[in-house]
Every structure is written in structure tokens, then in C-alpha cells.
Amino acid sequence: TYGLTTLRMDTGEKVQLSKQILQSQKTHAIVSYKQYCDETDFEGLCNRKLIDILSSLKPEQQRIVAGLDDFVVEGVEAWRCLSNIVELMPIPQCERKRLLKQIEMAEQYQKTTHIGHCSENSDCITHCTTFGLSDPICPEQHRNCTQSHTFDCSDWVNIIRTIDEIQEKIEKLSNEEVKREAKYDFDNAAQHIIEWSHHNLRAAQQNDAKSMSVLIGSFVWKNSSKTAATTTSNSTTAFNTESYILTLTNASQTDLDSLSGSEIIIKQFKEDHKHIIKLHKRTDNAGNFSSHSTPEIEKLICDRLGIQLLTHDYSEVQKGKDICDRVCGVAKVRLRSWGANGNDIICANDIKEGMEYAGGVKHTKIAVAEIVPGMGTLGKTNILNVSTVRSIQYESRYMKVSKASNVGDGSKIAYKKIDFETSMRLTSPFTIPIQDQEHSLAMNKRNDRIHHQFLMCPVNGCTSTFEFNEDLDSHMAVNLHKIPPPDPRTSNDIARLHLIDTVRSTNLQSHHDIKKIKTNQTSSTDAISQSVHYKKFSSLGWALRTRKHINTMNDKTKKFIQDMWLHSQKNWLQTNT
């Protein structure tokens, strides 16, 4: 929950309060409310009415489509699974509350703070990206870490100790069936939590590398239909931001389509900035990078346009989309305003016209392209373990690919001189607004979306509104203002405000519990280095992405399935005859 909400009083008064208050248990707040009514000899509302009041204060929630970041989704489900295990354990209530609070703290840390703590020079072994992403087997993907790693993060200690303690309590369960089921769920949950930590560390390293590319690069480009370009000059430290958006009505998002779109955008950028001769690229990675031909074709495109491509850094899987959304956010607002003004959005031309609505967005150019069926060529090549590539450095005769940016020299791969021809053509260029072109589709206005402006009375407290200026002038002339008189608060309103104060004090108690838990964990005499789960974060290269090998069925399993199918077929024939 975030932001503010409004509590309405019987007198019409509105009291703003933080939506974080709504995270409290409703039943606890009602109990405190009842106690207050008994102390003041006030006949309070019934429990059902109180529940209705609390339920009416619904908080707004930020929703993310499941699947945009599977690591986070699975990690949140893992902590929820551990909470369910703790809830069903036969342990004292005080221990159960403490463990649930530790789980809440650990989940919140992995969601919000962990990435910000990771860096190349961290003295904490679980936050050091150089140590966690150096491959101990491949020298080209390894870099020596100079940190002593003598510091332990208190939040990370909480994660390790919480997992260890839950595992110990599972081992003490007397019911073997319950123990076996809980252990299975625990192992899966712990693995997802560890993978979430790997994901955060890799994302932090790629974000740092992209920040460095902005500082040293002449141009930084975002590979998407929504594209951001940043230019710098060698003679000044100021940044001039340019954004290029390419809209398509239909696209299958193949490697050929993505490369064709990138060629159109880079070509326009070169026309706008002829003095730029070197390029650093950065790209999000909403899905797993698996294109063998893309790295070499990108250099081929830049060579054709007279630009030297130096490096290309990719975000961690399912990360980096925030850059694209930030650049295109204003353009999307213009598009929504254009649609709300009675226009339909049914093709790419409409998207361009909507984003150029009301003067467009400063330093943003929009074009429309279409894919020509049967047009375009893309040669094939092969890069070993291409799905793990996160950084590419381009040389004259070969390119160096790395599993993490700025970690190791990278593995050398020679160019194969593969062919590429674009599959797109521009239908509306970047330089000409859509209003200056003949629109192939007629404008369809919707009467239910036509904006009607209303005039409000300027007197403070007056709630009168008017459609025409003449009505407003008459209202002001005769001084007929609608201002509700202030009324004193009723006993019911006083009880409501007390309910809010009670919840607020409960929130303060929660912060006190967090501080107490961290103090006890820090002062514990048990060495965290002896933890089984801590050892999974203390080995060289612990955060590298690994390929999951699929175990094929053996002959015995295949024969069992075949026998079962033949047996079912035999029984079916006997039944029908």
C-alpha cells in the first residue's frame, strides 16, 4: 500500500490518513475500538458495521503482470510457502510470531534493497558482484577480487538464520508424513530464494555497467520499438537526450524484425548527429537472450552507416525495461489524452498521431514502419552458450563475449561475415509529423468521449459548478454560494479517529520488533559461516546463471508407460465387446 486515503465523517468532514494503516489486522483494531468504547461508556457499533467501515477503505495496489519477472514471482511465492509452513508448526506462539516477522523482513529486503547493496567493491561476500560473477573454471570469464569480505550485512544474516531455523524445526517434527511434505516444500522454497538472490546480483552488475557506458559513450541506444538515445560531446560534460520511437501495426518480433527496426533508428540518429562516429549500446532483456546472429549483425549495420560499434551490454533477464518505460512515459500520456478526446487507436499511424498530440514531446521523434512479407535476409551463425551472454566488446577481427559486464576479458569469437537485408520500410518518417501527411484512415470521433468543460465557483468552500460563463457571473452577482456550515464531530467520529490512532501505534510497535530481531541476530554467538545455506553464497561464482539440464526418460520408464497404455487399450476393447 502507498499514498493517502480519505476517511469520511458523519458530518461530511474528510480526514486524510496513510494507506499503510490499512495493513494492520482489522480484528485487532476492532478489539481496541471496543475497549475504548467500554472505557468511555459509549455504545459502539456492532462488529459487522466496523468490518464494513474498514473494508470500505480499500488501498490502491500496484499490479505487475505475472511472468514479467519470474524470479521475483517465484521468490515471493517461496517466502509465502515458508510462512504457511511456520503457521502449521507445533511451536509456541511467540516463536511463530517472531519467525513470521523475520520472513516479512527478509522478503521486503530482497524486493526493495538488495540490488542497491550490491557493487563491485563491496566488502560483504553476498553483495560483491566481482566475486559472485567470476567463473572459477573459465579464465576468460574471471577477474580477481581484491576485497577482504569481512563484513556481514544484517539483513542478509536475517535471511540465512531464518531459513536455517525453519529447517531445524522441520527436522524436529514427529509426524513423518507431515515432516516429509514440509521438507519437500522447504527445499523448493529455499532454492527459489537463492535463485532470486542470484538474479539480483546479476542485475546490479549489468545496471552498473550500463551507467558506466553512459559516462564514457558517445551514444547509448535502447533496442526496442520504444527507443532512447543519449548523445554526448567530447568538449562538454552536458548530456543532450534524444528519443526515437518506431511504431508497427503488426510484428512477430523475430530477430530479423528487431534488427530491421534498429537499422531504421540508427540511420535516423546518424542523419541527426553526423559528428557521432563511435557507439556504445545497451539493451533490456525482457526474455532470455538467445539470438546467435544479432551480435555480429549489429556491428554490420553500424559499419554500413559509418559508426564504430564498441560495446553492447544487456540487462539481466527480465530487467531493464524501466529505462524504456521512463523514456516513453510522457509519450504514452499524450497518446492516452488523444484517445480520451474521442479518437480511436487502431493502427500504427494513430499511435504516432496520438504521441504527437498537443505539440508532441520535446526531443522525441516518432516514425511508422511496416514489415514487407518475403523481404529481408538474415544469415546464421553459432555462439556457444549464447543464453548466458550479457556483454559484448567489438574488435576489428573478432568480438569478446562475457557472462557479466566488466568481469574477465571475455571469450573471443571470430566474425563469420553473415548476410543481412532489412525486412521493413518506412511509411511515415521521423522528420514529418503525421498531420502533414495524408492519413489513410478517416478520423472517427466518439460522442461519449467529447470533453465538456465545467466552471467552478472561485469562492473558498463553495461547491457550485456551471457550464457557461453567464451562469457563473449571475451566481457571483447575487452571492448565492453553497458553503456547508462546520459541524462538531459526533461520538461515532471520535471513535473512528481513535481507531486510526490505535492502528498507527500498532505500526510503531512493528518497527520496534524489527529492531529487536536484528539486535538479537547480530549478538548471536553462532557463526554464520557454518550455515549450510550461507555456503551457497560464499563460493566463487555463486551467482552465475547455470543451464538446467533436462533428464530424459530411461528405458525402464518408457517401457512402464507403454505397458500402461497397452493395458488401458486392452481393457477398453474388453468393455466395448
Side-chain angles (χ1 to χ4, degrees):
T1 57
Y2 62 97
L4 300 175
T5 187
T6 303
L7 178 65
R8 295 179 182 272
M9 300 296 178
D10 293 341
T11 59
E13 181 184 0
K14 299 178 182 179
V15 178
Q16 283 192 335
L17 54 104
S18 173
K19 291 179 180 176
Q20 292 179 348
I21 290 178
L22 304 176
Q23 294 176 342
S24 175
Q25 292 289 339
K26 297 177 182 178
T27 53
H28 294 177
I30 291 176
V31 170
S32 299
Y33 168 81
K34 288 291 187 179
Q35 292 177 351
Y36 174 78
C37 293
D38 294 338
E39 294 172 0
T40 57
D41 196 20
F42 173 76
E43 185 178 353
L45 302 174
C46 64
N47 291 344
R48 180 173 295 181
K49 183 61 177 178
L50 293 173
I51 289 291
D52 290 340
I53 293 174
L54 292 176
S55 300
S56 64
L57 301 174
K58 295 181 180 180
E60 294 181 5
Q61 296 180 350
Q62 290 178 322
R63 297 184 179 272
I64 300 176
V65 179
L68 285 181
D69 197 336
D70 293 335
F71 292 94
V72 177
V73 173
E74 291 175 351
V76 171
E77 290 295 330
W79 285 116
R80 189 175 302 169
C81 177
L82 294 184
S83 298
N84 294 335
I85 293 175
V86 172
E87 289 280 5
L88 299 176
M89 279 184 177
I91 57 178
Q93 184 67 14
C94 59
E95 290 190 20
R96 180 179 291 106
K97 287 185 177 180
R98 177 179 56 80
L99 281 174
L100 292 176
K101 189 64 180 179
Q102 291 178 200
I103 290 174
E104 179 187 346
M105 293 165 52
E107 180 185 349
Q108 190 69 17
Y109 174 73
Q110 282 196 296
K111 274 184 179 179
T112 59
T113 316
H114 181 209
I115 292 182
H117 285 177
C118 300
S119 64
E120 293 183 351
N121 56 357
S122 176
D123 198 27
C124 180
I125 196 171
T126 56
H127 298 340
C128 181
T129 57
T130 303
F131 181 84
L133 296 173
S134 293
D135 194 335
I137 301 176
C138 182
E140 292 83 3
Q141 309 291 341
H142 175 80
R143 189 177 75 178
N144 292 328
C145 183
T146 59
Q147 301 298 321
S148 58
H149 299 150
T150 56
F151 173 74
D152 289 328
C153 173
S154 60
D155 294 292
W156 201 259
V157 169
N158 173 60
I159 293 176
I160 299 298
R161 294 198 184 281
T162 301
I163 296 176
D164 287 346
E165 189 173 353
I166 294 175
Q167 185 180 29
E168 292 174 2
K169 294 188 178 300
I170 291 176
E171 295 295 338
K172 296 178 182 179
L173 294 175
S174 57
N175 190 320
E176 289 298 328
E177 183 178 354
V178 174
K179 178 180 177 180
R180 184 168 57 253
E181 183 177 351
K183 192 174 186 304
Y184 176 81
D185 292 339
F186 171 82
D187 291 339
N188 288 335
Q191 184 61 35
H192 287 312
I193 292 170
I194 293 171
E195 288 294 335
W196 191 4
S197 305
H198 296 180
H199 179 59
N200 285 343
L201 196 78
R202 294 193 298 264
Q205 177 65 13
Q206 296 309 112
N207 290 340
D208 290 342
K210 290 194 295 184
S211 299
M212 289 300 295
S213 68
V214 173
L215 296 176
I216 66 176
S218 299
F219 163 62
V220 180
W221 174 75
K222 176 85 171 47
N223 184 12
S224 176
S225 59
K226 311 159 193 172
T227 306
T230 304
T231 64
T232 64
S233 173
N234 294 330
S235 60
T236 179
T237 58
F239 286 83
N240 178 28
T241 302
E242 291 263 359
S243 299
Y244 296 86
I245 301 176
L246 182 66
T247 63
L248 301 167
T249 302
N250 295 302
S252 55
Q253 297 185 4
T254 61
D255 297 338
L256 179 59
D257 294 342
S258 299
L259 291 168
S260 300
S262 69
E263 183 182 34
I264 292 174
I265 293 171
I266 296 177
K267 185 182 296 184
Q268 180 62 41
F269 176 81
K270 181 61 177 176
E271 292 178 2
D272 296 341
H273 307 277
K274 294 181 173 58
H275 62 284
I276 299 296
I277 59 175
K278 294 184 179 181
L279 176 73
H280 289 269
K281 297 178 80 172
R282 68 181 185 187
T283 304
D284 73 350
N285 204 355
N288 197 4
F289 176 70
S290 59
S291 174
H292 294 269
S293 304
T294 296
E296 183 172 343
I297 296 300
E298 286 178 333
K299 185 178 187 306
L300 176 63
I301 292 174
C302 292
D303 290 343
R304 290 177 179 178
L305 298 175
I307 300 177
Q308 181 184 357
L309 181 59
L310 302 178
T311 61
H312 194 164
D313 290 308
Y314 291 87
S315 299
E316 163 62 3
V317 177
Q318 303 176 3
K319 288 285 187 181
K321 195 175 182 297
D322 56 325
I323 303 171
C324 182
D325 292 339
R326 183 175 66 249
V327 170
C328 296
V330 180
K332 290 180 180 179
V333 171
R334 295 296 174 89
L335 180 61
R336 285 194 292 266
S337 300
W338 185 76
N341 199 32
N343 301 293
D344 294 322
I345 304 173
I346 57 178
C347 67
N349 284 338
D350 294 331
I351 296 177
K352 178 176 180 178
E353 185 172 356
M355 289 184 174
E356 292 176 345
Y357 176 65
V361 181
K362 189 176 181 180
H363 299 307
T364 300
K365 295 183 178 181
I366 307 165
V368 180
E370 65 178 1
I371 298 174
V372 182
M375 181 179 174
T377 304
L378 179 61
K380 295 183 179 181
T381 184
N382 183 62
I383 298 177
L384 185 64
N385 295 329
V386 66
S387 62
T388 62
V389 173
R390 294 294 176 270
S391 178
I392 304 172
Q393 298 181 23
Y394 293 93
E395 304 291 343
S396 58
R397 293 177 299 173
Y398 55 83
M399 54 185 172
K400 297 179 180 179
V401 298
S402 303
K403 296 180 180 179
S405 300
N406 302 327
V407 178
D409 295 331
S411 303
K412 296 181 180 179
I413 298 178
Y415 298 124
K416 302 296 180 61
K417 297 181 180 180
I418 55 181
D419 298 329
F420 168 74
E421 293 296 335
T422 183
S423 64
M424 288 186 188
R425 64 184 177 194
L426 279 175
T427 59
S428 178
F430 290 98
T431 54
I432 303 178
I434 196 70
Q435 295 289 353
D436 297 340
Q437 295 180 296
E438 293 185 2
H439 204 312
S440 59
L441 297 174
M443 184 77 67
N444 295 324
K445 287 279 187 178
R446 292 182 53 173
N447 293 327
D448 59 332
R449 288 187 176 180
I450 296 178
H451 176 66
H452 296 277
Q453 184 176 4
F454 288 92
L455 305 173
M456 294 182 292
C457 178
V459 176
N460 187 24
C462 183
T463 59
S464 300
T465 58
F466 307 92
E467 189 172 357
F468 302 103
N469 286 321
E470 293 78 7
D471 296 336
L472 175 60
D473 294 338
S474 301
H475 170 79
M476 297 294 295
V478 297
N479 200 23
L480 295 176
H481 301 295
K482 298 179 181 179
I483 302 177
D487 296 328
R489 289 175 177 165
T490 63
S491 300
N492 193 17
D493 290 341
I494 296 175
R496 287 179 177 177
L497 293 176
H498 178 74
L499 171 62
I500 296 171
D501 294 336
T502 303
V503 178
R504 186 179 290 111
S505 62
T506 305
N507 189 31
L508 295 175
Q509 181 64 32
S510 175
H511 289 286
H512 175 73
D513 294 340
I514 293 175
K515 185 177 180 180
K516 183 178 179 181
I517 289 174
K518 288 188 175 181
T519 303
N520 293 337
Q521 289 177 342
T522 305
S523 60
S524 176
T525 57
D526 298 335
I528 192 174
S529 59
Q530 303 301 321
S531 168
V532 176
H533 295 95
Y534 178 79
K535 294 178 181 179
K536 297 182 179 181
F537 303 99
S538 57
S539 58
L540 186 63
W542 63 269
L544 286 172
R545 186 175 176 85
T546 57
R547 298 181 63 184
K548 296 181 179 180
H549 299 281
I550 301 175
N551 297 325
T552 58
M553 290 189 296
N554 54 31
D555 294 337
K556 185 177 180 180
T557 304
K558 292 179 181 178
K559 187 177 183 305
F560 173 77
I561 296 175
Q562 184 178 9
D563 292 343
M564 291 293 294
W565 183 81
L566 292 174
H567 180 70
S568 64
Q569 292 295 315
K570 183 178 179 181
N571 291 339
W572 181 80
L573 291 174
Q574 291 177 355
T575 303
N576 286 275
T577 55

